[in-house]
Amino acid sequence: MATFNNCRLACLLLPLLLLLLLLLLVGQSWGRATAHCDLSEAVDAMDVSKPPCENFHEHACGNWHAPYGQRSLGAHDTRSKLRAMNKQLLLRHFELNGEQDASTDQLASFYGSCMNGRQSVHVYMDAVQQLLPDWPLLNNASRFDWPRGNAAVRRFGAQGLWRLSVQPNWQAAEQRVFYLLPPSFDLLGTSEQSEFFYQRYLKYLLLELGLRVRRAASLAEQLVGFERQLRALLPPSAETLVLHAPQTLQELAAQLPQLQLLDYFQMLLGEHYTTQLLLVADSSYLQRLQRLLQRADPWILSSWLLLQLPAHFELHLHEDASLAAQRDHCLQQLNQLMPQQLSQLQLRLLHGSDAAAAAFLDRTQLQLQQLFDTLKAQFERLLNATTIFEQDAVTQSLALQKLRAMRLLLSPPLSLPQQLGEAPQRVLQSRSYDSNLLHLSRAQAEAEFQLGLQCLQLPCESAIAWTGHSVGPLDVNVYYRLKLNAIELPLGLLRPPLLPHCAAAGREQAAAQLMGGLGYMIGHELIHGFDYDGINYDAAGRVAGGQWPPRAIIRFGLRAGCYLGARYSNATLTINENIADSEGLRLAYEAYRMQQPANATMRPFFVAFAQNWCGQAVAPSSGVLQHASHKERVNNVLGNFPEFAETFDCKAGSPMHPPEKCRIW
């Protein structure tokens, strides 16, 4: 009887449990869709007490703020808030699941080893000795082969005596060539304080290698002195770097025999070595370097090169950091070294599964391509109508060819559903953070070198859609790549609120959000192909100075001169960005207007644009500002739109309705 009653109870409870589970799953799905459709943040950010015609930035963003948890992850404005949201998602995964997943999840394993913070300089020394055994500082070697030592540290990504990178050939963008440029001297810096801290850092590395205190201090001082000499080889900051046409390795080595470039590249490339490599070099720096190396102390040179490896990875520099800073550092390392795998994880966490993420990418790629094509079609109409090309059909045709050839690239390239589960996997071979760091960096360097070997002679069979750097989910800036004639859109941006997915009731607001957000961003970068820099490059990304005749350039300049007016602070440095802001928003506005009914209000579009720049900008580490302040970017741009003044009933002469309105196209 008891068994029968238990069965009846189970039979009654089972449907209830199934129903509860179904409601939970639906609730999760509904919650995810609601999050995608929730536009309340846009309304909450506004301060409607501020008159829109006086200061629209305050009107649209006056109540904007980032929650504390996001501020602690670097959120200070709209764009950095998106980055912080991606960080939160990833950190939550690693902190909650890291230990149990570490045995199978490469990302979690790397993150966990990074957070443990147990590092040793000896791991780096062992790694470099496997490539080149004899280093005077390590085994009292009587001779040192510095060209091979310089190549050994570069195989792990460190700079050495010059900065070697693989970038598009400035004369033929479909081809990748090696660039030999001066090092950056980031740790040495330019102040007495930075030099002091750098010298102390080198001293601590030498102490860990077993040197006595006095000897370590003396050698660290000599190493800093040597690096100062290297830095002194740089031309004055005002002097323009002149890049010459690519040369073969054999040709450059003959011009700079003291640098022993043949030995360097033989060590660097191994079995792939060829003297027909193409290089673009800063010849002035390299010639001065030749003379310096003739009188350099071999002991100092070898020790400096050796310590460039741990210094490149900032060994021990983050050990005393706060927990939040340590987490951020470890995420940044993953973003740089495993961008595709990290992007795949971020998409999976955001959408619930690989299948859902693949479906999202498939749908979104189509949506973005349609958006891009719409903006290009709008710009084509403007290029056909402009008087800049009046009686100049040839230049107009070249501009149209460039516009039609321009591409939109999602980065990293996980854009097709079948690729989502097939991203290149860099397999970790150790639980040691140092070993993993070296392994991943070496794999990244080898992949970079291969790009420089794929096309040694023009024409190349196919252009390589590679932008020259890694892009992961923590990258949230869109770029126009001059030498590719392509716009690079990072996957880290493809999330709400920039990509809202709303039901029919919210579709109008979502359209404004999309066009005023991503539409404006893509339009901004599209215009960079036709600003003061862009007009010097052709449809294939090749330098093509002179293809615009003086008449067209003068007409362009007369219109662009408005962007140097009194409304624009620091205008000579920010003019290209100011042009791209206003002219790019014009493309997005016209495209949006054409999609709306004749009586539709444009208010949601203008608010969506302004809220791209809520918060405060942070000055870059270089100190050089290439953009106006967020307030200026909003108010000056909208001040160029008569349509804005009409929409918000702004009186002529009010701050948001100035008499002079800038427009080129």
Side-chain angles (χ1 to χ4, degrees):
M1 188 69 173
T3 303
F4 176 73
N5 288 334
N6 288 342
C7 179
R8 287 184 62 190
L9 182 61
C11 292
L12 288 171
L13 287 176
L14 183 59
L16 291 174
L17 289 172
L18 290 173
L19 179 61
L20 183 62
L21 180 60
L22 180 62
L23 288 173
L24 179 62
L25 291 173
V26 171
Q28 287 178 341
S29 176
W30 179 86
R32 190 174 291 122
T34 301
H36 284 196
C37 192
D38 184 10
L39 299 171
S40 60
E41 280 190 22
V43 177
D44 292 342
M46 298 179 68
D47 183 356
V48 294
S49 68
K50 301 294 184 182
C53 298
E54 295 296 316
N55 184 335
F56 196 72
H57 184 261
E58 283 192 13
H59 177 82
C61 298
N63 285 321
W64 183 92
H65 72 284
Y68 172 77
Q70 293 170 1
R71 291 201 305 275
S72 66
L73 293 172
H76 55 84
D77 60 9
T78 308
R79 197 72 61 89
S80 58
K81 183 180 178 181
L82 285 172
R83 183 187 297 113
M85 290 163 68
N86 290 341
K87 287 181 182 179
Q88 278 185 320
L89 193 66
L90 294 165
L91 286 173
R92 191 178 299 120
H93 169 77
F94 289 134
E95 299 295 334
L96 292 178
N97 306 312
E99 291 186 7
Q100 67 188 49
D101 289 350
S103 59
T104 57
D105 188 341
Q106 299 284 303
L107 294 166
S109 178
F110 183 90
Y111 179 83
S113 67
C114 178
M115 288 299 295
N116 287 336
R118 292 188 292 272
Q119 294 186 264
S120 169
V121 71
H122 296 286
V123 177
Y124 297 85
M125 301 301 101
D126 292 344
V128 79
Q129 279 192 293
Q130 289 179 15
L131 298 179
L132 186 69
D134 294 330
W135 296 81
L137 186 62
L138 299 180
N139 54 16
N140 293 316
S142 58
R143 297 188 62 186
F144 175 64
D145 189 344
W146 74 261
R148 295 174 66 81
N150 194 30
V153 298
R154 180 59 184 90
R155 287 184 68 173
F156 292 103
Q159 291 186 98
L161 291 165
W162 49 72
R163 176 162 45 97
L164 176 73
S165 63
V166 177
Q167 298 290 339
N169 180 351
W170 64 274
Q171 290 186 322
E174 69 272 22
Q175 184 182 49
R176 301 296 180 272
V177 299
F178 290 84
Y179 282 71
L180 287 178
L181 302 172
S184 61
F185 307 111
D186 290 334
L187 290 178
L188 178 67
T190 56
S191 67
E192 289 186 9
Q193 185 181 40
S194 64
E195 289 184 7
F196 169 79
F197 285 121
Y198 181 47
Q199 182 172 321
R200 188 175 68 173
Y201 172 60
L202 294 178
K203 173 187 168 184
Y204 288 151
L205 292 179
L206 292 167
L207 289 172
E208 190 175 348
L209 285 173
L211 274 69
R212 294 185 178 275
V213 174
R214 187 170 296 175
R215 188 181 177 208
S218 174
L219 182 54
E221 184 178 4
Q222 290 174 290
L223 295 178
V224 169
F226 174 73
E227 192 159 336
R228 279 199 213 99
Q229 289 180 298
L230 282 176
R231 188 181 61 191
L233 302 180
L234 298 177
S237 56
E239 187 174 315
T240 302
L241 172 63
V242 178
L243 294 179
H244 301 284
Q247 300 171 272
T248 65
L249 171 59
Q250 195 164 18
E251 291 169 341
L252 188 63
Q255 295 172 17
L256 301 164
Q258 304 279 339
L259 297 185
Q260 302 178 53
L261 292 173
L262 298 180
D263 290 342
Y264 171 82
F265 277 98
Q266 193 167 27
M267 173 70 171
L268 195 72
L269 302 176
E271 62 183 14
H272 302 293
Y273 167 77
T274 170
T275 58
Q276 297 308 304
L277 283 179
L278 289 175
L279 298 104
V280 174
D282 183 345
S283 301
S284 298
Y285 169 78
L286 294 177
Q287 287 167 358
R288 290 190 285 263
L289 177 63
Q290 270 195 142
R291 294 191 288 271
L292 174 63
L293 293 178
Q294 287 176 342
R295 60 181 189 273
D297 183 328
W299 172 268
I300 301 300
L301 174 59
S302 64
S303 300
W304 183 84
L305 278 172
L306 185 65
L307 293 189
Q308 290 310 293
L309 186 59
H312 169 72
F313 293 105
E314 300 180 352
L315 179 69
H316 300 318
L317 283 180
H318 300 275
E319 289 182 351
D320 295 330
S322 65
L323 179 61
Q326 182 71 6
R327 286 171 172 164
D328 189 69
H329 170 70
C330 294
L331 269 186
Q332 292 289 356
Q333 292 282 49
L334 278 173
N335 194 67
Q336 178 184 349
L337 295 170
M338 304 174 78
Q340 289 184 308
Q341 286 164 274
L342 193 65
S343 295
Q344 183 176 340
L345 173 62
Q346 189 254 353
L347 286 169
R348 183 193 311 144
L349 295 174
L350 193 60
H351 298 282
S353 69
D354 279 339
F360 163 79
L361 280 176
D362 191 30
R363 181 177 66 248
T364 301
Q365 178 170 335
L366 178 61
Q367 182 183 19
L368 290 173
Q369 189 60 48
Q370 290 173 342
L371 175 61
F372 184 49
D373 291 342
T374 299
L375 294 169
K376 286 173 66 176
Q378 177 57 38
F379 195 29
E380 184 162 336
R381 282 190 284 270
L382 296 180
L383 289 178
N384 280 320
T386 183
T387 58
I388 289 176
F389 302 132
E390 195 172 62
Q391 297 180 342
D392 190 359
V394 173
T395 309
Q396 185 178 52
S397 176
L398 290 172
L400 289 170
Q401 287 174 24
K402 180 173 183 177
L403 174 64
R404 292 165 185 164
M406 195 179 292
R407 295 171 294 154
L408 181 67
L409 305 176
L410 287 187
S411 188
L414 294 174
S415 52
L416 296 177
Q418 62 268 27
Q419 293 177 332
L420 190 59
E422 301 171 6
Q425 303 293 305
R426 290 179 178 166
V427 179
L428 304 183
Q429 300 174 333
S430 170
R431 285 187 171 272
S432 161
Y433 172 61
D434 293 321
S435 297
N436 288 336
L437 200 57
L438 288 163
H439 170 72
L440 290 172
S441 297
R442 184 170 178 179
Q444 191 174 67
E446 288 173 355
E448 181 184 3
F449 299 153
Q450 284 302 311
L451 289 169
L453 294 164
Q454 286 184 13
C455 175
L456 297 178
Q457 291 184 338
L458 293 171
C460 293
E461 290 185 4
S462 62
I464 306 166
W466 179 73
T467 58
H469 66 286
S470 301
V471 175
L474 305 190
D475 297 294
V476 292
N477 288 320
V478 193
Y479 292 99
Y480 173 68
R481 302 299 179 187
L482 279 168
K483 296 174 184 176
L484 292 175
N485 191 26
I487 295 171
E488 181 184 39
L489 186 67
L491 291 178
L493 277 179
L494 304 185
R495 58 169 301 155
L498 284 178
L499 271 183
H501 300 295
C502 292
R507 199 166 289 166
E508 182 181 336
Q509 180 69 32
Q513 196 91 1
L514 177 66
M515 197 62 81
L518 282 173
Y520 151 71
M521 293 178 195
I522 295 172
H524 173 105
E525 301 306 326
L526 195 155
I527 292 295
H528 274 315
F530 298 86
D531 62 16
Y532 274 111
D533 290 332
I535 61 176
N536 293 304
Y537 290 78
D538 66 12
R542 295 183 293 257
V543 174
Q547 73 169 1
W548 278 38
R551 180 172 55 184
I553 293 175
I554 290 171
R555 287 172 175 170
F556 176 87
L558 287 173
R559 295 185 176 207
C562 177
Y563 291 101
L564 295 170
R567 282 194 290 142
Y568 293 91
S569 59
N570 206 21
T572 54
L573 288 178
T574 63
I575 184 168
N576 277 341
E577 297 300 329
N578 297 335
I579 290 171
D581 274 340
S582 279
E583 307 292 333
L585 186 66
R586 169 61 60 185
L587 299 182
Y589 171 80
E590 295 294 348
Y592 175 72
R593 183 182 59 80
M594 292 174 65
Q595 296 171 354
Q596 301 305 306
N599 61 346
T601 177
M602 296 293 111
R603 288 184 176 229
F605 172 84
F606 289 124
V607 170
F609 158 70
Q611 290 185 344
N612 286 300
W613 304 116
C614 290
Q616 298 295 325
V618 172
S621 56
S622 65
V624 179
L625 293 170
Q626 294 183 328
H627 299 86
S629 68
H630 289 358
K631 176 183 172 182
E632 278 193 32
R633 295 189 79 166
V634 171
N635 293 346
N636 280 345
V637 168
L638 295 180
N640 290 328
F641 277 69
E643 299 89 344
F644 171 84
E646 182 180 346
T647 298
F648 287 91
D649 296 322
C650 298
K651 293 180 179 179
S654 65
M656 295 302 303
H657 191 1
E660 185 179 40
K661 293 184 169 21
C662 303
R663 183 170 178 181
I664 297 175
W665 305 107

